[in-house]
Amino acid sequence: MADTGTYLYAITRAGDGPGPEVLEGLKGVAGAPVRALEGSGLAAYVSTVPLEEFGEGPLRRSLEDLDWVGETARAHHRVVEAVAGAARSAAPVRLVTVYSGDEQVRDLLDRRGDEFASVLSRVAGRQEWGVKAYAHRPAQPSAAPAAPAGRGAAGAARPGTEYLRRRKASLRDRDDAWREAAERAEMIHGTLAEMTVASTRHRPQDPRLSGRDDWMLLNGAYLVENDRRAEFAAALDAFRGPEIDIELTGPWAPYSFTALETAGGGMDDTYDPEGPGPTEGHDAPDPHDAPNPRTRDRSSGRRGGAEGSHGR
């Protein structure tokens, strides 16, 4: 049985990706060199990885380790950005997508070349931007003060009654604040979606990964024409205010807009690590944060595999 597999990062049209001068010295996951495999007019950017670390069983365990996931996501993202930066269009591939060998990747390019070509045409001249919107959580009411010494049971009940009243009012205020903030987030998303090629909303990110305890109201991704970047940013700025904190990240390779369905893929040897996933689509850091560590929500490879990541 082979002791290595082929890790896939991204796909471009043949001749459109980085040349040898870019690939030379470029390291991917586990410090492995990156190389290109060509077939059917496409190029797949891959590394050879040890199955003792990237096989199905080890990956299941590793995806529980946020430090390992963060390091792997950053390495994956670094390669994707190098490929996307040198190509007119590139399709990033889901984090930890591992095949049994190079021939299986070439078979993928042969069987699904038309699908990949369509995806590459769709994202050409466009980039992904991420938008997160947060609202501060209302303060909790303070605990009821202790009853003054010497007061009877009836007197002691009054502070408790007052606390319950304040608690009830606080919950009403909290619900009202949430509804207002959620409506604002819907307005933001709707406005941005109308002016972009494509958009998608991911589930709120786990606070352990975002590093924030605020309500995450919006975790969106938007495919933006390169010549509309300033217009997009200006539209977002119009929504900024003290009630809502907005983060704009990017530009990124189009992780959220290069997914292909795996049905009928027939890639039975592709590993399928199912992480415990607290967040959007994958269980690994979101690619939008990989450089800092996002650090792009957990990710898992999929049986049948070279399917778009992020899916954020």
Side-chain angles (χ1 to χ4, degrees):
M1 181 177 177
D3 57 2
T4 62
T6 299
Y7 185 110
L8 180 59
Y9 302 95
I11 293 172
T12 69
R13 297 185 188 278
D16 183 37
E21 69 284 356
V22 175
L23 294 182
E24 185 177 359
L26 181 61
K27 302 295 184 183
V29 297
V34 179
R35 54 198 171 82
L37 297 176
E38 293 192 0
S40 299
L42 300 169
Y45 293 86
V46 303
S47 288
T48 298
V49 294
L51 294 186
E52 63 182 11
E53 182 176 359
F54 288 89
E56 183 174 7
L59 273 179
R60 289 182 184 278
R61 294 187 293 272
S62 294
L63 287 173
E64 301 278 358
D65 181 349
L66 288 182
D67 290 336
W68 184 94
V69 168
E71 180 180 352
T72 302
R74 286 189 292 273
H76 179 98
H77 181 70
R78 185 168 59 247
V79 174
V80 168
E81 288 299 295
V83 171
R88 284 172 292 182
S89 61
V93 173
R94 187 181 297 273
L95 185 66
V96 293
T97 296
V98 182
Y99 289 87
S100 61
D102 290 1
E103 287 307 311
Q104 197 179 35
V105 175
R106 288 193 177 96
D107 179 64
L108 173 77
L109 300 181
D110 289 343
R111 290 187 300 102
R112 310 192 68 177
D114 290 344
E115 294 173 79
F116 283 117
S118 177
V119 167
L120 291 170
S121 294
R122 182 177 185 235
V123 300
R126 297 159 177 168
Q127 292 176 307
E128 177 172 331
W129 291 80
V131 175
K132 293 187 179 73
Y134 299 90
H136 301 298
R137 297 176 187 270
Q140 295 289 339
S142 57
R151 299 290 294 273
R158 283 195 293 273
T161 301
E162 174 61 16
Y163 169 75
L164 290 176
R165 185 193 68 76
R166 287 187 287 113
R167 171 71 174 168
K168 200 171 179 182
S170 173
L171 290 175
R172 281 198 302 270
D173 291 345
R174 181 186 177 93
D175 289 345
D176 289 343
W178 168 259
R179 278 194 295 271
E180 290 177 9
E183 288 172 3
R184 186 84 172 271
E186 288 293 335
M187 187 181 301
I188 294 171
H189 177 70
T191 299
L192 298 180
E194 286 181 1
M195 62 186 304
T196 55
V197 176
S199 64
T200 186
R201 293 185 70 167
H202 301 306
R203 288 186 294 176
Q205 193 176 15
D206 190 290
R208 293 175 300 166
L209 298 177
S210 69
R212 301 184 58 152
D213 191 43
D214 299 327
W215 286 328
M216 180 181 277
L217 307 169
L218 175 63
N219 185 12
Y222 304 88
L223 188 63
V224 183
E225 297 276 7
N226 290 343
D227 60 3
R228 298 193 72 183
R229 290 165 52 166
E231 182 184 353
F232 178 81
L236 188 61
D237 286 342
F239 288 101
R240 297 186 187 277
E243 308 87 3
I244 193 163
D245 187 11
I246 297 174
E247 291 182 359
L248 174 64
T249 64
W252 309 102
Y255 286 93
S256 300
F257 305 101
T258 54
L260 296 177
E261 294 299 324
T262 60
M267 306 298 287
D268 293 335
D269 297 328
T270 303
Y271 297 105
D272 184 20
E274 293 292 342
T279 53
E280 204 292 322
H282 342 317
D283 304 324
D286 186 306
H288 292 175
D289 296 318
N292 307 312
R294 198 159 161 261
T295 251
R296 245 258 258 32
D297 305 17
R298 279 211 182 148
S299 175
S300 58
R302 277 249 179 116
R303 192 173 298 276
E307 320 313 334
S309 164
H310 215 103
R312 162 113 108 207

